[in-house]
Amino acid sequence: ERIKFSAVLLFCVLWFTFSYLPIAHMVWFGEGLLFKDGAIDFAGGTVVHINAGVAALVGAYMVGKRVGYGKEAMAPHNMVMTMIGASMLWVGWFGFNAGSNLEATGGATLAFLNTILATSAAAVAWVSAETLLKGKPSMLGAASGAVAGLVAITPACGTIGPMGAIVLGLISGVVCLWAVHGLKKMMGVDDSLDVFGIHGISGIIGAILVGVFTAPSLGGTGAEDFSIASQVLIQTKGVVITILWSGIVSVVMFKLVDIVIGLRVPEEEERIGLDVTSHGERAYNN
């Protein structure tokens, strides 16, 4: 709602090249730094969600707040479309997680089942906490909780058990509710789609706790000599490296884009709406 379309496209190319690809190499390539350490990231908790969440946080700071942010109501403009989008995302995530098994075996089934359970648990946790805090559950809260659960289970779906998935979902739903409503205010950032509050925070939760719930004693698929303390240390190392790498790369790339073409549209264009000023079309015609 406030960044130039050309800036988005250029940043995506640069960030994909210098942040996504190196982290993917570290985590999934046989000679990668984190792969050799034994880091567990079944479908992309560090590679995708923490990586992108940190980039979004950096971008929100560097682009600046929307005109009227904190003074005007900026609720989602269409809750029906929000729910449709969240539902499509949930269905597509089965391919994301179960497909990461690369073959139709019991591993894919486990990832599929865990994706259902963690996501459902997170949605329930979010609306339950929301009811306790605000007195009413919301559709937006259910959709946000579901996304938090999807993100949290992503690195863990192939190695933890169903009960671990449920607990992971419950934790991510409650923590991400706080991140969206509390942490964001504390940080003073206008993260309009709560990418950091949901993807970043839930990605961190899933990436670290997979080191706990992969333990065979907790229903996971780890080896008999699996050490929770050692694995959590390895997972934490991966999280820290991802945060630092994505953060530094994002600052440099956003600054480079700002120098070359600029990040922010003029205030008048922002007030009119980027659908009109940047793309020459309207979302709705009466």
Side-chain angles (χ1 to χ4, degrees):
E1 295 176 277
R2 59 205 193 266
I3 189 172
K4 292 180 180 178
F5 185 58
S6 56
V8 172
L9 295 180
L10 179 56
F11 176 79
C12 285
V13 172
L14 294 172
W15 180 85
F16 174 80
T17 303
F18 296 105
S19 188
Y20 178 86
L21 291 180
I23 295 297
H25 181 277
M26 289 184 207
V27 174
W28 288 329
F29 183 63
E31 295 301 314
L33 173 66
L34 298 176
F35 186 92
K36 289 194 294 185
D37 281 348
I40 301 171
D41 191 348
F42 190 79
T46 52
V47 177
V48 179
H49 300 291
I50 299 174
N51 205 358
V54 171
L57 181 65
V58 170
Y61 275 123
M62 296 189 70
V63 175
K65 298 178 181 179
R66 288 167 287 177
V67 173
Y69 180 75
K71 300 176 183 179
E72 304 171 11
M74 294 183 175
H77 79 291
N78 190 313
M79 281 309 307
V80 174
M81 287 191 176
T82 298
M83 202 61 185
I84 291 172
S87 300
M88 292 175 65
L89 192 68
W90 191 336
V91 172
W93 219 285
F94 291 125
F96 189 60
N97 282 358
S100 292
N101 193 62
L102 303 180
E103 54 184 349
T105 63
T109 304
L110 178 64
F112 192 101
L113 177 62
N114 284 339
T115 301
I116 297 174
L117 295 175
T119 308
S120 302
V124 170
W126 187 299
V127 295
S128 298
E130 195 174 42
T131 302
L132 292 174
L133 295 172
K134 298 184 177 181
K136 296 178 181 178
S138 69
M139 182 181 291
L140 180 61
S144 301
V147 175
L150 289 168
V151 173
I153 196 60
T154 293
C157 59
T159 60
I160 71 174
M163 287 305 299
I166 293 173
V167 175
L168 185 58
L170 293 173
I171 293 171
S172 65
V174 174
V175 175
C176 286
L177 172 64
W178 166 77
V180 167
H181 293 287
L183 180 62
K184 184 164 71 171
K185 291 181 180 179
M186 292 166 57
M187 299 177 75
V189 63
D190 180 11
D191 181 1
S192 57
L193 298 180
D194 293 313
V195 181
F196 179 74
I198 294 179
H199 288 265
I201 296 298
S202 201
I204 292 170
I205 292 170
I208 292 177
L209 291 186
V210 64
V212 175
F213 294 116
T214 297
S217 59
L218 297 176
T221 63
E224 291 184 7
D225 60 347
F226 184 89
S227 169
I228 292 177
S230 297
Q231 192 62 45
V232 167
L233 185 61
I234 293 170
Q235 298 302 122
T236 303
K237 176 182 176 181
V239 168
V240 172
I241 289 175
T242 303
I243 291 173
L244 292 175
W245 188 279
S246 182
I248 294 170
V249 169
S250 297
V251 169
V252 173
M253 295 303 114
F254 270 118
K255 190 62 180 177
L256 181 62
V257 172
D258 192 24
I259 293 171
V260 175
I261 58 179
L263 291 175
R264 189 82 179 238
V265 299
E267 182 176 331
E268 182 181 356
E269 291 186 16
E270 184 178 344
R271 290 188 179 279
I272 294 171
L274 300 191
D275 56 340
V276 175
T277 59
S278 296
H279 306 290
E281 58 190 0
R282 293 183 180 275
Y284 304 98
N285 293 300
N286 296 326

